[in-house]
Amino acid sequence: MISAKVSPAQSFTFQSDAIAPDKSISHRCAMFAILAEGESRVENFLRAEDTLNTLKIISHLGAEITDDGSVITIRSHGIQESSEVLDCGNSGTGMRLFCGLLSSAEGHFILTGDEYLKRRPMKRVTQPLRTIGAKLDGRSNGDLAPLSIRGASLKSFDYTSPIASAQVKSAMMLAALRSDGVCTFREPELSRDHTERMLRGMGARVEINGLETKIWPLEKPLKPLDIRVPADPSSAFFFAVAAAITPNASTIIEGVTLNPTRIEAFKVLERMGSKITYTVTDERYEPIGTIRVENAPLHAVTVEENIAWLIDELPALSIAMACAEGKSIIKNAEELRVKESDRIKTVVDNLNLCAIVTEEYPDGYAVLGGELKSASVNSYGDHRIAMSFLIAGLKCGMEVHDIECINTSFPNFFELLGKCTKVEK
C-alpha cells in the first residue's frame, strides 16, 4: 500500500491547462465511436486506468484504435463478439454504460472489474434493461459483477427512473438506439447530460423536455466524432478547493467544460464566499472555457438540491466545509453510500481523525467548521477520498494511505499538487 504526505501551503498561484481530461466524456467518446460509421478523432483523451480500460474493451469488440500520443482515432466495424472477459477495472460508468450498449449486440459478453467495482450495485441498470428484453445476469440476481450479457431484441420503453443518475439514463439511452420504437426516459431531477449532447451532435434523434428525454432508434450509424476532450471540472475542483482554503492563493483552470450540470460544486463554493469567475471560449459540443478561483473567508452552507450535479465533488467540498465558519449540511445524498467507497462514512471518519466535529445521517452529514489537524487517513481505495484529504493537507499537513487509486482518474495529480506544496511518497 502506497502512502503520501503533504505539507501545509502558505500561498500559491496556480495556472494550468494540464488538469486531467474529462473522464465522463472520454468514456463516452470511446463507446459512442463504436456506433459510428467511419473514423472518429479524439484529442486529449484521458489516459487513466478507467478510461484506458474502456478503450481496451472497445478494441476487444472490434474497433481499430490508433494512438499517436496526441490524438486517438477509432474506426468501428460494428460490435463484434469478444473471446475476452471485458474488464472495466474500477469504473462504474464503464460497466453500467456497457450494459446498455451490449444488450442489443449480437453475441455473448462478460463484464468484470476490480475488487471494489464487484461490490457496487448494478441492478439499477440491469433491472430496467431486463424489462425491455435484455438478457443480463450476474451475482446476487444481477446486482453484482461479473455480469453476463447475451445480446437480444429490445422493446421500446416508457421508463421513470427512481433516481437521478446519468449512468442509468445513459445505459437506457444506448439501449434505446437499437430498440423497436421511440423510447421515453424520465428522472426525478436532471442528471448530467453529456450523453444527450454527444449523441445529438453525432446525429441521433434525441428530444429533451424538462425531466423527460425521448430517444428514437437509429436509422443509420452515428456520424464519427471529431472532438477535443475538455478538462474535467471534477478534477479541477480539487484545486479550486485548494485555492479556497489557502490564504492569498488563486487558481486558474483553462480548457475546462462549463456545462451547467458539471460546475454545480463551483457554484456552491461561490455561495460559501469564494471568488469565482467563468469565461467561455468554445461551445461546439459543450461550453468550454476558463475558471478562476481566489481565496476568501468561507462560511457554512446547506446543500440539498442538484445533488446529482455534484455527487463526485462532495468529498472535496467537505474539506472546504471543514475550513468554513459554521455548520454545513449535506442532504439527499444517499448515492454517496454506493460510490467507490461509502463516501458518507469515509468522509465523516477521516474528518473526525482531523479533529473536525461531524454528524452522520442516512442521506448525508453535517460538518462543523474548525481547525483541521494533521492526521493519517485511509482512502479506502477511493480516488476522490484520497485526493480530497491530500488537498486538506495544504491546510494542516496530511498523510494519506492507499493512493494508487488516484491513477484511475487523475494520473498527473501529484505533479500538479507539487506546484502548491511539498509532496513526499
Side-chain angles (χ1 to χ4, degrees):
M1 184 184 295
I2 300 175
S3 303
K5 291 182 180 180
V6 293
S7 302
Q10 301 304 312
S11 67
F12 59 82
T13 300
F14 178 94
Q15 181 168 352
S16 180
D17 60 359
I19 291 292
D22 192 273
K23 186 164 75 162
S24 296
I25 295 175
S26 294
H27 276 306
R28 286 162 174 79
C29 284
M31 292 184 192
F32 298 176
I34 206 169
L35 298 176
E37 184 174 62
E39 188 172 270
S40 290
R41 180 181 181 278
V42 184
E43 187 179 356
N44 202 40
F45 185 89
L46 174 62
R47 289 169 172 80
E49 290 177 1
D50 278 358
T51 46
L52 290 174
N53 281 330
T54 292
L55 208 60
K56 186 181 297 183
I57 287 172
I58 69 164
S59 72
H60 289 319
L61 297 174
E64 294 179 24
I65 300 170
T66 304
D67 183 357
D68 68 4
S70 175
V71 176
I72 290 176
T73 57
I74 303 168
R75 180 173 289 277
S76 173
H77 303 283
I79 297 174
Q80 301 173 18
E81 186 176 52
S82 174
S83 61
E84 303 292 330
V85 172
L86 307 175
D87 190 348
C88 299
N90 188 247
S91 178
T93 297
M95 181 166 285
R96 292 182 180 124
L97 268 63
F98 273 121
C99 284
L101 183 71
L102 298 176
S103 287
S104 62
E106 186 175 341
H108 180 228
F109 310 92
I110 302 293
L111 295 173
T112 192
D114 67 13
E115 60 176 308
Y116 301 105
L117 186 56
K118 287 176 184 175
R119 299 176 197 158
R120 297 181 65 184
M122 294 296 144
K123 194 173 288 186
R124 59 182 55 192
V125 294
T126 61
Q127 189 168 19
L129 286 169
R130 282 170 167 177
T131 66
I132 62 172
K135 297 178 180 178
L136 272 158
D137 205 357
R139 294 184 300 125
S140 190
N141 194 28
D143 192 34
L144 299 174
L147 300 177
S148 167
I149 305 171
R150 188 172 295 281
S153 297
L154 303 182
K155 300 177 291 186
S156 60
F157 60 82
D158 187 323
Y159 180 69
T160 300
S161 175
I163 59 174
S165 166
Q167 294 176 1
V168 175
K169 178 170 61 176
S170 297
M172 296 300 287
M173 289 182 69
L174 290 171
L177 293 178
R178 290 183 293 183
S179 67
D180 65 4
V182 181
C183 298
T184 303
F185 182 91
R186 299 181 191 85
E187 54 189 345
E189 63 179 271
L190 184 63
S191 60
R192 293 171 172 177
D193 63 354
H194 297 303
T195 296
E196 298 94 304
R197 289 174 180 264
M198 291 181 67
L199 288 179
R200 285 199 294 192
M202 297 174 76
R205 186 178 177 187
V206 179
E207 293 183 3
I208 301 165
N209 182 17
L211 300 177
E212 180 180 284
T213 302
K214 285 190 178 295
I215 313 101
W216 276 256
L218 292 178
E219 296 180 354
K220 58 183 179 180
L222 296 173
K223 295 182 292 187
L225 281 165
D226 185 3
I227 185 173
R228 177 179 172 81
V229 178
D232 192 326
S234 299
S235 296
F237 191 66
F238 293 108
F239 292 96
V241 171
I245 67 174
T246 305
N248 303 312
S250 65
T251 292
I252 299 174
I253 306 298
E254 301 170 343
V256 65
T257 178
L258 301 179
N259 181 322
T261 67
R262 293 298 306 280
I263 58 171
E264 182 69 11
F266 291 88
K267 298 296 184 181
V268 173
L269 199 57
E270 278 187 89
R271 284 167 49 201
M272 296 178 71
S274 187
K275 298 177 183 178
I276 304 180
T277 56
Y278 313 86
T279 305
V280 177
T281 57
D282 184 16
E283 293 188 86
R284 185 167 45 147
Y285 284 101
E286 298 247 337
I288 296 170
T290 299
I291 300 177
R292 180 185 178 92
V293 183
E294 297 179 68
N295 170 257
L298 300 179
H299 53 77
V301 69
T302 295
V303 180
E304 55 188 343
E305 297 179 347
N306 295 330
I307 294 295
W309 292 8
L310 48 69
I311 197 74
D312 288 335
E313 293 85 357
L314 285 174
L317 191 62
S318 301
I319 302 304
M321 292 174 171
C323 298
E325 182 180 356
K327 181 180 179 180
S328 295
I329 298 174
I330 295 171
K331 296 181 178 179
N332 302 322
E334 301 96 330
E335 184 73 6
L336 287 173
R337 295 280 188 191
V338 292
K339 302 299 280 187
E340 283 83 339
S341 67
D342 177 344
R343 287 182 179 162
I344 292 176
K345 179 173 175 54
T346 52
V347 167
V348 165
D349 286 353
N350 282 345
L351 284 178
N352 289 344
L353 290 173
C354 299
I356 296 297
V357 176
T358 62
E359 298 174 30
E360 182 176 341
Y361 313 132
D363 66 342
Y365 48 90
V367 178
L368 182 62
E371 184 179 351
L372 276 168
K373 300 289 188 182
S374 180
S376 178
V377 303
N378 199 308
S379 76
Y380 300 94
D382 189 326
H383 56 132
R384 299 199 189 277
I385 297 297
M387 289 184 281
S388 296
F389 280 88
L390 287 165
I391 292 299
L394 296 176
K395 195 73 174 175
C396 59
M398 194 72 61
E399 182 177 28
V400 180
H401 304 289
D402 196 2
I403 59 170
E404 301 97 315
C405 51
I406 292 173
N407 289 325
T408 65
S409 65
F410 202 160
N412 65 330
F413 173 78
F414 284 104
E415 175 188 344
L416 299 181
L417 185 60
K419 297 181 178 181
C420 306
T421 189
K422 181 181 178 182
V423 182
E424 299 177 23
K425 288 201 283 184

